Amino acid sequence: MRHIFISLKWVLLSFIFIPISLYLIIILINLNDEAPSKQSIENLAKIEANNLRLTNNLIENGYIFTLGFDVEKSASPKEIGLARFQQLQDISIMESTKKFSSERFEIPKLSIQQCINKNDFTEQCSGVLIQDSELTLQLKEFGWLIDRYQQLINQKDWQDGTYFNVFIDQIPASSLLTAQKLYLLNIYVKTSEMDSNQIAKAINQDMIFWQKISSNTHFLLTKVISNAGIDTNMRLGEIIISPLITANSTNQIPKTWLKTLPPKVLSLDKVKLGEWYFFMGMTEATKVDDKANIASHFFEWLLLPLFQHQDTANLYAEALIHNSTQQHCPDKFTFDLISDYSYNPVGKFILCSSSPSFNMYQKALDDLENKRVKLLSNLNLSTL
């Protein structure tokens, strides 16, 4: 019996000391973080240069105007936009839940909201618009919003930064996209008052604005919104222009429709740079709140020594270049996996479980060019 107890004692001690010993060994392996990689250094240099340019480009910048676009009729989008931008700069990630206080206008409900996204949108929306007796009144009521949108697309530049705050909306998507539809519907209603060149130029100006956003934004959500704006421009534009087209004429067609979409519009390079910076900011904010329970503080104390911030930044920067954000996600357990995960295991786990795949977003962007080609085909024009 005595031998049994001795054996049990050593088994229990093994269960305690072996994990502790392994943990201490891994801590020794993780004593030092990596130096910034060449790609991380390049990324930071680009971000710093861009943010510096942004601070000197706040006047005729559509991004600043858009930050305040959803304010009530009597307020100034530029003034509110500047105030919100200052808050984005001043408040670090996770530091505060306070938002800039300002009244927002109520977004109008448009009759084409459902039909515009259908495959047979030209037929569906044309029928809806013919039956929409309230459209003229709605356009008159929100004439001020159409004017505001016209001011926005007249802005000289679009330059945003990489100032992320999880508690503050970057741009008011619904307000902006609804204003775009009102702008285009206003052209539709006034086609009899405008010549075909004026109509084409007005639609073209809208397309240039959305392409400018897509080419210059560092925010994934803004890129998605610009995708929707470009798509809406072509869909509603086709409804407006189709009845006006004469044989073999391109004068009535927006010039941007006749050209292949620029590579920058379809590229995610700037968005990946912004996502890298945001991801690194989030991983830096790993400290548990002081009000958290004891268990949370214990796991923080246990896991933080196994997290290397700079190594994680380096790995993610490299993964984004090769479009392989899931490269550290193992398919099966191997001894090589143990060796690989002995250094920075927490960082690699975060990369594996949290970093997004951009394939879906890239496919949606590539589809825009297909939609442009199809649009010209629907108008019986050859692509250029």
Side-chain angles (χ1 to χ4, degrees):
M1 184 64 70
R2 181 170 175 271
H3 293 294
I4 294 174
F5 281 119
I6 292 173
S7 299
L8 286 173
K9 181 181 74 173
W10 283 109
V11 169
L12 289 173
L13 288 173
S14 298
F15 274 117
I16 294 171
F17 286 112
I18 290 176
I20 291 175
S21 299
L22 288 173
Y23 176 74
L24 292 174
I25 290 170
I26 294 175
I27 283 182
L28 288 173
I29 294 172
N30 285 271
L31 280 179
N32 297 310
D33 201 351
E34 291 290 320
S37 66
K38 180 181 178 182
Q39 190 59 54
S40 290
I41 292 171
E42 288 180 6
N43 285 357
L44 283 174
K46 288 177 183 178
I47 287 166
E48 289 173 2
N50 181 75
N51 288 343
L52 179 61
R53 287 195 302 271
L54 175 56
T55 57
N56 296 317
N57 185 24
L58 302 179
I59 307 303
E60 289 296 318
N61 187 344
Y63 168 62
I64 300 299
F65 195 105
T66 302
L67 284 177
F69 188 81
D70 62 346
V71 295
E72 61 182 348
K73 179 180 178 181
S74 60
S76 167
K78 279 191 175 182
E79 290 180 9
I80 301 299
L82 280 169
R84 288 177 177 168
F85 176 67
Q86 291 298 325
Q87 190 177 44
L88 280 171
Q89 287 183 300
D90 295 340
I91 303 177
S92 61
I93 294 173
M94 306 285 282
E95 186 175 293
S96 175
T97 59
K98 294 181 180 179
K99 291 188 177 183
F100 184 82
S101 178
S102 57
E103 291 293 327
R104 290 168 166 77
F105 68 81
E106 186 176 348
I107 300 172
K109 293 181 180 179
L110 304 179
S111 59
I112 62 160
Q113 202 65 51
Q114 299 299 323
C115 67
I116 193 66
N117 294 318
K118 294 183 178 179
N119 291 330
D120 56 345
F121 65 91
T122 50
E123 181 180 346
Q124 292 278 344
C125 287
S126 295
V128 169
L129 289 172
I130 290 171
Q131 298 174 17
D132 189 358
S133 58
E134 301 294 324
L135 180 58
T136 303
L137 293 175
Q138 199 171 35
L139 291 172
K140 185 177 180 180
E141 180 185 354
F142 288 96
W144 63 271
L145 183 55
I146 297 170
D147 292 340
R148 178 179 288 183
Y149 185 76
Q150 182 72 65
Q151 281 182 275
L152 172 60
I153 64 177
N154 283 341
Q155 297 292 298
K156 182 180 178 181
D157 295 315
W158 178 282
Q159 186 186 0
D160 54 33
T162 50
Y163 300 103
F164 288 90
N165 189 302
V166 294
F167 302 110
I168 300 175
D169 298 331
Q170 282 297 326
I171 63 172
S174 296
S175 302
L176 192 59
L177 292 171
T178 300
Q180 180 199 20
K181 293 182 180 73
L182 286 169
Y183 169 84
L184 294 171
L185 288 171
N186 192 51
I187 297 171
Y188 172 83
V189 169
K190 293 182 177 180
T191 50
S192 61
E193 303 172 19
M194 305 168 66
D195 63 44
S196 56
N197 288 334
Q198 285 179 309
I199 293 170
K201 285 180 180 178
I203 297 172
N204 193 65
Q205 186 182 21
D206 180 62
M207 176 62 96
I208 289 172
F209 168 71
W210 288 104
Q211 287 191 13
K212 192 184 297 181
I213 295 177
S214 187
S215 298
N216 295 293
T217 187
H218 292 82
F219 301 118
L220 181 57
L221 178 58
T222 304
K223 192 80 172 184
V224 172
I225 294 167
S226 68
N227 187 327
I230 292 171
D231 183 57
T232 297
N233 176 277
M234 291 190 287
R235 286 173 179 260
L236 266 178
E238 181 179 345
I239 293 170
I240 295 167
I241 285 179
S242 290
L244 310 176
I245 294 293
T246 56
N248 300 319
S249 174
T250 59
N251 292 331
Q252 302 122 320
I253 307 298
K255 292 180 180 179
T256 47
W257 289 6
L258 299 171
K259 299 177 182 178
T260 302
L261 286 168
K264 285 185 177 181
V265 171
L266 306 181
S267 171
L268 284 167
D269 288 348
K270 286 189 176 182
V271 165
K272 288 180 179 180
L273 182 64
E275 285 293 306
W276 176 82
Y277 191 63
F278 176 63
F279 188 83
M280 291 309 102
M282 290 296 292
T283 56
E284 274 187 324
T286 51
K287 187 176 180 181
V288 173
D289 190 273
D290 292 336
K291 298 178 181 179
N293 58 39
I294 295 174
S296 298
H297 283 288
F298 172 74
F299 280 108
E300 177 191 30
W301 174 82
L302 197 67
L303 296 176
L304 274 184
L306 309 182
F307 173 66
Q308 305 296 344
H309 178 266
Q310 189 58 59
D311 181 63
T312 305
N314 295 345
L315 291 172
Y316 193 37
E318 193 66 28
L320 289 174
I321 291 294
H322 299 292
N323 196 30
S324 56
T325 55
Q326 303 298 312
Q327 65 179 358
H328 294 285
C329 304
D331 294 326
K332 57 183 179 180
F333 182 83
T334 63
F335 287 107
D336 289 337
L337 177 64
I338 296 174
S339 176
D340 183 45
Y341 266 70
S342 63
Y343 181 73
N344 190 20
V346 173
K348 288 170 182 173
F349 177 78
I350 291 172
L351 280 176
C352 177
S353 59
S354 303
S355 53
S357 171
F358 292 94
N359 294 335
M360 176 181 67
Y361 302 106
Q362 188 61 65
K363 183 179 184 302
L365 288 168
D366 293 339
D367 283 346
L368 286 176
E369 177 59 21
N370 297 329
K371 291 175 181 178
R372 186 195 69 86
V373 173
K374 184 180 179 182
L375 167 60
L376 295 184
S377 175
N378 292 343
L379 297 174
N380 296 317
L381 295 169
S382 60
T383 59
L384 299 180

